[in-house]
Amino acid sequence: MGKSLIIAEKPSVAQDIVRALTPVAGKFDKQADHFENDQYVVTSAVGHLVEIKAPEEFDVKRGKWSFANLPVVPPHFDLAPIDKAKSRLSAVVKLVKRKDVTELINACDAGREGELIFRLIVQYADGGKGKLDKPVRRLWLQSMTPQAIRDGFAQLRSDQQMQGLADAARSRSEADWLVGINGTRAMTAFNSRDGGFFLTTVGRVQTPTLSIVVEREEKIRKHVARDYWEIKGQFAAKAGEYEGKWFDPGFRKNDDLERRADRLWTAAEANAIAEACRNQPATVTEEAKPSTQASPLLYDLTTLQREANSRFGFSAKTTLSLAQALYEKHKVLTYPRTDSRALPEDYVGVVKQTMEMIASEDLPGPLRELAGHARKALNDGYVKPTKRVFDNSKVSDHFAIIPTLQAPRSLTDIEAKLYDMVVKRFLAVFYPSAEFMVTTRISTISNQGKDYKFQTNGKVLVRPGWLAVYGREAQEDDANLVPVDKGEVVRTESVDVNQLKTKPPARYTEATLLSAMEGAGKLIDDDELREAMAEKGLGTPATRAQTIEGLILEKYMLREGRELVPTAKAFQLMTLLRGLDIPDLTKPELTGQWEYQLAEMEHGRLNRDKFMAEIAKMAERIVKKAKEYDRDTIPGDYATLSTPCPKCGGKVKENYRRFACVGNETPANPGCGFSISKIPGGRAFEIAEADALLRDKKIGPLEGFRSKAGWPFTAELKLAFDDETDNWKLEFDFGEDAKKAEGDGEPVDFGDQASLGSCPKCKGKVFEHGSNYVCEHAVGANTTCDFKTGKIILQQPVPREQVHKLLTEGKTDLLENFVSNKTRRKFKARLVYDTKEGKVSFEFEPRAAKAPAKKAARKAA
């Protein structure tokens, strides 16, 4: 009798499958790389084991990147093992080829990427010969509890059912390869025309996403603040005082988006209105209407990522990894990589069971408070088969993220925060709408035949409904309006004019960028409208976090607090793509259309060959535009530096490749010939950095440079006067003079400096020297010590007084502006001398001690 080979995506999932199947299929024996019993062989990949590549005759090595070798559109794709996974791949392939294995079961993650991982392994095992001929079935899991795994094996899907997903998975992979390889090589070839190697990466999803962020930053930079005035009145009724804001009842919107009904654009007009209203009585009319607010829908991954970023500052990547751990390791959440916010129509019973678990289990910490809300939902019959929650037409391959029947145990603080978000949303969606009484009060002052109107809004919570789950049982005090009797005339106590300025649009955070990606560039807050646009979004819920992280890794964006800020490198890429007129990579809605077509393919409504032909045309179009561009520079919105030319004092302007002197921009004075590269060592200058370099003649140390071999390095830059050209030129400064002095060079005279303290290694004196603080015996001739520490460490300047503290007390004060090379995030630490390692290292503040978790009471037998 033949055996079924089960291939999971990760070793931990393979173990879970073995545990779930043991009670029904018998004990498994553990081998070196698999588990086995009479019926099943269970093994796993470790993510991707195989990657696609162009056939050998189409492959172009990096050193030969040029337009002569482009475009690269191979007739088919070969496969290559991923280096670090070769041993695991050979073990899995050996099992696939075993004679007694007569069936393959794909147990990789239930999504596009999981499908691709499995399909490529099987294709590689077959060697492209088509002789393997072993039937394939698909395990499709929504939850990782043992019962859910057993239920999944009872309902395995056929290979035919999965063909659409398999086609979409392959097409996504091949499309990204074609656009990424051709686009990156074409843009790199274009940027390297004048020598050097300037790697310029582009991608089918990452570049349109970057375009969204750059466009917003351009609006911020171009925004000119305008003064406007608001008028606020304080009114006294019998029952107390209230505030109102003046507004123009005849206001109509036009193209000026900064205009509002309550804004005035001259101080004179605002002061005239205020003067006319002071010490005048006001008549009051008001309208009170009942209003209801339904709970937000259940979470899909993107909404969970957005809200976790807004509430806790979690990156999209962090939220995904937490949700994956809650699904895979703790088994307390359903499958997280979903784009659905509804549940299947036959899931009412499961929801009630889950409510019962929350109501009766002794959940840890703050989660315990939710038990009462779950019990009330059950007792009052809140769980009903409503279309808002249970709708098969809104469930794709996966349903919304909800808790499983498994109670959580031993969650970390941040895992508990995310689990709490999901449980609260799960409970809230079944609760009744919150009910408010919304009051609009208009206070009218009449003076010399003119009426001046002031508006006051009040919103009183009448019944909390679902808000009770979030702790909103009662109305906050500040939302209550003092009552006014019918026909009462109120007194105007004061009228104040406030001068304000218009603000530019806010920068993107990960929360708002995820929303814009979901709506293909449109920032959509409305749940239902966003849901309608979601199929045409950039990327999928599972890949959006990876896209954002990729842009940060490639130094196209930086995180500053919660904001995402595009770099000079990002602006340069967008200038290039716009100048070359390549809308495919700059207009998010075009790439959103590709993503929509992939979704159509998943459901069998679009032919794979047709889609790939369009992608190939796109890749060819990108290369053709770059190859045929024949002008000297790329048109763009370029900056003028605030610092004058170091040679002649003229203006220095940016062009596509350089910062160049343009004199006073007249034929008589076109510039003195001074110019420097905008991207020395493959790192683009920020405008402020270029200004600082011209002003101070040096800058740094800066990170992010790359050698011709592609290695990253850090260096200072300086402007040095070149006698040969009679002009200033840009040079890397690796501190050669300091290096010579630190070796067997000239003795160093520290006579004019006071020592900062004793060297922790040799008890010599420590002084400031070049870009370091060094031991006197570590420089000059015949060095006997090697102690030194930087004056700038991870972008944090280290003042002399802190070095003195380090040498005399063993540690500095808490310094707050270190910036991680890896995450680009700021962190706080003290510098300490580690005697064991013999170097200066970090000491972090201890975290607050956690309260010990209470053990669940043991139930009586």
Side-chain angles (χ1 to χ4, degrees), residues 385-398:
T386 58
K387 273 284 184 187
R388 189 167 184 268
V389 181
F390 301 98
D391 187 347
N392 287 347
S393 69
K394 292 181 179 175
V395 174
S396 53
D397 294 318
H398 299 285

PDB file of all heavy atoms in Angstrom, residues 385-398:
ATOM      1  N   PRO A 385     -27.360  35.136  12.345  1.00  0.00           N
ATOM      2  CA  PRO A 385     -26.794  34.983  10.988  1.00  0.00           C
ATOM      3  C   PRO A 385     -27.024  36.222  10.114  1.00  0.00           C
ATOM      4  O   PRO A 385     -27.743  36.185   9.130  1.00  0.00           O
ATOM      5  CB  PRO A 385     -27.527  33.753  10.448  1.00  0.00           C
ATOM      6  CG  PRO A 385     -28.823  33.720  11.190  1.00  0.00           C
ATOM      7  CD  PRO A 385     -28.560  34.299  12.551  1.00  0.00           C
ATOM      8  N   THR A 386     -26.418  37.357  10.472  1.00  0.00           N
ATOM      9  CA  THR A 386     -26.581  38.593   9.700  1.00  0.00           C
ATOM     10  C   THR A 386     -25.597  38.620   8.532  1.00  0.00           C
ATOM     11  O   THR A 386     -24.459  38.171   8.662  1.00  0.00           O
ATOM     12  CB  THR A 386     -26.325  39.823  10.594  1.00  0.00           C
ATOM     13  OG1 THR A 386     -25.004  39.709  11.143  1.00  0.00           O
ATOM     14  CG2 THR A 386     -27.326  39.915  11.731  1.00  0.00           C
ATOM     15  N   LYS A 387     -26.030  39.204   7.416  1.00  0.00           N
ATOM     16  CA  LYS A 387     -25.181  39.282   6.218  1.00  0.00           C
ATOM     17  C   LYS A 387     -23.958  40.155   6.445  1.00  0.00           C
ATOM     18  O   LYS A 387     -22.945  40.022   5.767  1.00  0.00           O
ATOM     19  CB  LYS A 387     -25.976  39.842   5.034  1.00  0.00           C
ATOM     20  CG  LYS A 387     -26.736  38.789   4.249  1.00  0.00           C
ATOM     21  CD  LYS A 387     -25.785  38.004   3.357  1.00  0.00           C
ATOM     22  CE  LYS A 387     -26.550  37.015   2.489  1.00  0.00           C
ATOM     23  NZ  LYS A 387     -25.633  36.135   1.738  1.00  0.00           N
ATOM     24  N   ARG A 388     -24.043  41.071   7.395  1.00  0.00           N
ATOM     25  CA  ARG A 388     -22.911  41.965   7.671  1.00  0.00           C
ATOM     26  C   ARG A 388     -21.700  41.177   8.157  1.00  0.00           C
ATOM     27  O   ARG A 388     -20.560  41.553   7.932  1.00  0.00           O
ATOM     28  CB  ARG A 388     -23.334  42.996   8.723  1.00  0.00           C
ATOM     29  CG  ARG A 388     -22.331  44.100   8.933  1.00  0.00           C
ATOM     30  CD  ARG A 388     -22.937  45.246   9.740  1.00  0.00           C
ATOM     31  NE  ARG A 388     -21.949  46.319   9.839  1.00  0.00           N
ATOM     32  CZ  ARG A 388     -21.092  46.436  10.827  1.00  0.00           C
ATOM     33  NH1 ARG A 388     -21.106  45.573  11.819  1.00  0.00           N
ATOM     34  NH2 ARG A 388     -20.210  47.429  10.849  1.00  0.00           N
ATOM     35  N   VAL A 389     -21.948  40.058   8.837  1.00  0.00           N
ATOM     36  CA  VAL A 389     -20.865  39.244   9.396  1.00  0.00           C
ATOM     37  C   VAL A 389     -20.710  37.928   8.638  1.00  0.00           C
ATOM     38  O   VAL A 389     -19.602  37.525   8.287  1.00  0.00           O
ATOM     39  CB  VAL A 389     -21.105  38.967  10.899  1.00  0.00           C
ATOM     40  CG1 VAL A 389     -19.963  38.138  11.482  1.00  0.00           C
ATOM     41  CG2 VAL A 389     -21.269  40.261  11.677  1.00  0.00           C
ATOM     42  N   PHE A 390     -21.832  37.246   8.385  1.00  0.00           N
ATOM     43  CA  PHE A 390     -21.793  35.920   7.746  1.00  0.00           C
ATOM     44  C   PHE A 390     -22.226  36.064   6.282  1.00  0.00           C
ATOM     45  O   PHE A 390     -23.413  36.225   5.988  1.00  0.00           O
ATOM     46  CB  PHE A 390     -22.737  34.957   8.469  1.00  0.00           C
ATOM     47  CG  PHE A 390     -22.409  34.774   9.930  1.00  0.00           C
ATOM     48  CD1 PHE A 390     -23.100  35.485  10.901  1.00  0.00           C
ATOM     49  CD2 PHE A 390     -21.403  33.895  10.334  1.00  0.00           C
ATOM     50  CE1 PHE A 390     -22.800  35.320  12.254  1.00  0.00           C
ATOM     51  CE2 PHE A 390     -21.097  33.739  11.673  1.00  0.00           C
ATOM     52  CZ  PHE A 390     -21.791  34.455  12.642  1.00  0.00           C
ATOM     53  N   ASP A 391     -21.257  36.026   5.372  1.00  0.00           N
ATOM     54  CA  ASP A 391     -21.576  36.253   3.959  1.00  0.00           C
ATOM     55  C   ASP A 391     -20.571  35.506   3.089  1.00  0.00           C
ATOM     56  O   ASP A 391     -19.416  35.915   2.959  1.00  0.00           O
ATOM     57  CB  ASP A 391     -21.527  37.761   3.667  1.00  0.00           C
ATOM     58  CG  ASP A 391     -22.008  38.089   2.251  1.00  0.00           C
ATOM     59  OD1 ASP A 391     -22.134  37.163   1.421  1.00  0.00           O
ATOM     60  OD2 ASP A 391     -22.251  39.285   1.980  1.00  0.00           O
ATOM     61  N   ASN A 392     -21.011  34.415   2.491  1.00  0.00           N
ATOM     62  CA  ASN A 392     -20.120  33.596   1.652  1.00  0.00           C
ATOM     63  C   ASN A 392     -19.552  34.374   0.472  1.00  0.00           C
ATOM     64  O   ASN A 392     -18.430  34.110   0.027  1.00  0.00           O
ATOM     65  CB  ASN A 392     -20.872  32.363   1.124  1.00  0.00           C
ATOM     66  CG  ASN A 392     -21.098  31.337   2.222  1.00  0.00           C
ATOM     67  OD1 ASN A 392     -20.510  31.424   3.296  1.00  0.00           O
ATOM     68  ND2 ASN A 392     -21.970  30.370   1.965  1.00  0.00           N
ATOM     69  N   SER A 393     -20.319  35.342  -0.047  1.00  0.00           N
ATOM     70  CA  SER A 393     -19.850  36.090  -1.225  1.00  0.00           C
ATOM     71  C   SER A 393     -18.656  36.990  -0.884  1.00  0.00           C
ATOM     72  O   SER A 393     -17.942  37.439  -1.765  1.00  0.00           O
ATOM     73  CB  SER A 393     -20.982  36.941  -1.803  1.00  0.00           C
ATOM     74  OG  SER A 393     -21.318  37.997  -0.923  1.00  0.00           O
ATOM     75  N   LYS A 394     -18.444  37.262   0.410  1.00  0.00           N
ATOM     76  CA  LYS A 394     -17.322  38.117   0.829  1.00  0.00           C
ATOM     77  C   LYS A 394     -16.199  37.312   1.467  1.00  0.00           C
ATOM     78  O   LYS A 394     -15.285  37.871   2.061  1.00  0.00           O
ATOM     79  CB  LYS A 394     -17.816  39.188   1.804  1.00  0.00           C
ATOM     80  CG  LYS A 394     -18.722  40.210   1.125  1.00  0.00           C
ATOM     81  CD  LYS A 394     -19.173  41.279   2.090  1.00  0.00           C
ATOM     82  CE  LYS A 394     -20.055  42.288   1.355  1.00  0.00           C
ATOM     83  NZ  LYS A 394     -20.616  43.282   2.299  1.00  0.00           N
ATOM     84  N   VAL A 395     -16.285  35.987   1.350  1.00  0.00           N
ATOM     85  CA  VAL A 395     -15.210  35.115   1.851  1.00  0.00           C
ATOM     86  C   VAL A 395     -14.476  34.563   0.643  1.00  0.00           C
ATOM     87  O   VAL A 395     -15.082  33.902  -0.199  1.00  0.00           O
ATOM     88  CB  VAL A 395     -15.777  33.965   2.711  1.00  0.00           C
ATOM     89  CG1 VAL A 395     -14.673  32.997   3.089  1.00  0.00           C
ATOM     90  CG2 VAL A 395     -16.443  34.517   3.959  1.00  0.00           C
ATOM     91  N   SER A 396     -13.180  34.866   0.535  1.00  0.00           N
ATOM     92  CA  SER A 396     -12.408  34.331  -0.591  1.00  0.00           C
ATOM     93  C   SER A 396     -11.835  32.979  -0.165  1.00  0.00           C
ATOM     94  O   SER A 396     -12.555  32.084   0.232  1.00  0.00           O
ATOM     95  CB  SER A 396     -11.319  35.330  -0.991  1.00  0.00           C
ATOM     96  OG  SER A 396     -10.541  35.691   0.136  1.00  0.00           O
ATOM     97  N   ASP A 397     -10.523  32.830  -0.239  1.00  0.00           N
ATOM     98  CA  ASP A 397      -9.917  31.571   0.207  1.00  0.00           C
ATOM     99  C   ASP A 397      -9.865  31.489   1.721  1.00  0.00           C
ATOM    100  O   ASP A 397      -9.676  30.416   2.284  1.00  0.00           O
ATOM    101  CB  ASP A 397      -8.493  31.457  -0.356  1.00  0.00           C
ATOM    102  CG  ASP A 397      -8.521  31.332  -1.866  1.00  0.00           C
ATOM    103  OD1 ASP A 397      -9.374  30.591  -2.368  1.00  0.00           O
ATOM    104  OD2 ASP A 397      -7.703  31.985  -2.527  1.00  0.00           O
ATOM    105  N   HIS A 398      -9.953  32.645   2.379  1.00  0.00           N
ATOM    106  CA  HIS A 398      -9.895  32.694   3.841  1.00  0.00           C
ATOM    107  C   HIS A 398     -10.942  33.656   4.347  1.00  0.00           C
ATOM    108  O   HIS A 398     -11.355  34.573   3.648  1.00  0.00           O
ATOM    109  CB  HIS A 398      -8.509  33.152   4.307  1.00  0.00           C
ATOM    110  CG  HIS A 398      -7.413  32.227   3.874  1.00  0.00           C
ATOM    111  ND1 HIS A 398      -7.197  31.003   4.460  1.00  0.00           N
ATOM    112  CD2 HIS A 398      -6.493  32.335   2.880  1.00  0.00           C
ATOM    113  CE1 HIS A 398      -6.184  30.403   3.858  1.00  0.00           C
ATOM    114  NE2 HIS A 398      -5.751  31.182   2.889  1.00  0.00           N
TER     115      HIS A 398
END
